[in-house]
Amino acid sequence: EADIYQTPRYLVIGTGKKITLECSQTMGHDKMYWYQQDPGMELHLIHYSYGVNSTEKGDLSSESTVSRIRTEHFPLTLESARPSHTSQYLCASSEAGYNEQFFGPGTRLTVL
Amino acid sequence: GESVGLHLPTLSVQEGDNSIINCAYSNSASDYFIWYKQESGKGPQFIIDIRSNMDKRQGQRVTVLLNKTVKHLSLQIAATQPGDSAVYFCAENIGGSNYKLTFGKGTLLTVNP
């Protein structure tokens, strides 16, 4: 089983709150990714990173931001949560030179 | 836009039967394909992958077939078990996209005992 962790697993929060979703991996992977997934739907890439101090926006526009200060840590932040942000957020990582991505268990976010 | 998609959103099979899940892709520059299994409440889990220079690859109880002529990918699961019930996604890496994966819509596989 891949060693990639996400916290919290579930979060219910009110509109306007600032939230940070945590993602950590212990595999030493250079590449990390954030996906947004609505129930039963495909995954949409919202952010990715090729290494420390590298962050890029994904294919789906998102109001969230990310940072990559340490190799193992790739947190995602929403400055002001809105109901439209309600979704599942999946973090993944991959080794340099390889396409296979390892996924965390996801954070299910509900904004009231 | 170009994307990976699936022919059937749901598939129901009897335990012990073989399952075939299909996927169509439209980008001829895609050079790598991967199948993931996602169980309820969990993140996607790797099943099998294939590069575009191959047309078949086998794993334990699973086989992936790639037909580049018609841009079609399939996942075959032999002797399907209740534990195989999940949503299955195919994903592609478009050559030159630097290891990003583009996911298709999933197929829900239900295995009836």
Side-chain angles (χ1 to χ4, degrees):
Chain A
E1 188 152 332
D3 297 325
I4 181 163
Y5 309 97
Q6 291 186 244
T7 58
R9 291 294 314 278
Y10 302 92
L11 179 62
V12 180
I13 203 162
T15 296
K17 300 293 186 183
K18 178 180 178 179
I19 59 169
T20 296
L21 308 185
E22 302 288 347
C23 176
S24 295
Q25 50 94 8
T26 58
M27 298 172 282
H29 287 170
D30 289 328
K31 296 182 172 61
M32 296 190 73
Y33 312 82
W34 275 103
Y35 292 87
Q36 185 173 340
Q37 182 186 33
D38 291 327
M41 301 298 286
E42 66 265 48
L43 284 68
H44 293 287
L45 181 67
I46 52 175
H47 298 283
Y48 59 100
S49 167
Y50 291 141
V52 171
N53 294 325
S54 152
T55 61
E56 303 285 345
K57 289 190 178 298
D59 303 323
L60 180 68
S61 176
S62 174
E63 295 167 342
S64 58
T65 58
V66 292
S67 62
R68 189 88 184 275
I69 299 172
R70 303 198 314 268
T71 298
E72 63 271 21
H73 195 214
F74 191 41
L76 180 145
T77 298
L78 274 167
E79 289 293 331
S80 179
R82 294 208 298 268
S84 61
H85 296 138
T86 295
S87 189
Q88 172 157 259
Y89 293 84
L90 289 159
C91 181
S93 70
S94 65
E95 192 174 353
Y98 292 86
N99 287 296
E100 182 187 348
Q101 294 179 16
F102 296 87
F103 283 84
T107 293
R108 187 168 295 282
L109 172 66
T110 302
V111 184
L112 303 176
Chain B
E2 293 184 321
S3 64
V4 179
L6 289 160
H7 293 304
L8 294 172
T10 61
L11 178 64
S12 184
V13 301
Q14 291 298 122
E15 182 178 358
D17 287 351
N18 296 333
S19 302
I20 300 176
I21 300 172
N22 296 302
C23 181
Y25 67 96
S26 57
N27 197 319
S28 57
S30 295
D31 58 5
Y32 172 87
F33 304 87
I34 187 168
W35 282 98
Y36 281 96
K37 172 187 179 183
Q38 186 175 25
E39 297 175 278
S40 180
K42 297 183 179 180
Q45 181 182 14
F46 170 86
I47 302 173
I48 193 168
D49 58 2
I50 189 168
R51 296 204 172 276
S52 59
N53 60 354
M54 303 171 68
D55 52 22
K56 180 179 180 180
R57 191 163 188 223
Q58 287 184 292
Q60 187 177 13
R61 283 203 304 120
V62 294
T63 300
V64 56
L65 298 178
L66 175 63
N67 186 330
K68 294 181 286 294
T69 302
V70 295
K71 297 189 182 69
H72 184 267
L73 189 70
S74 68
L75 175 69
Q76 300 178 0
I77 305 173
T80 315
Q81 302 167 0
D84 295 327
S85 294
V87 177
Y88 289 81
F89 292 95
C90 64
E92 64 181 333
N93 171 255
I94 300 169
S97 68
N98 209 354
Y99 305 105
K100 288 193 296 180
L101 293 177
T102 300
F103 283 79
K105 294 178 172 59
T107 291
L108 173 62
L109 174 65
T110 302
V111 182
N112 303 309

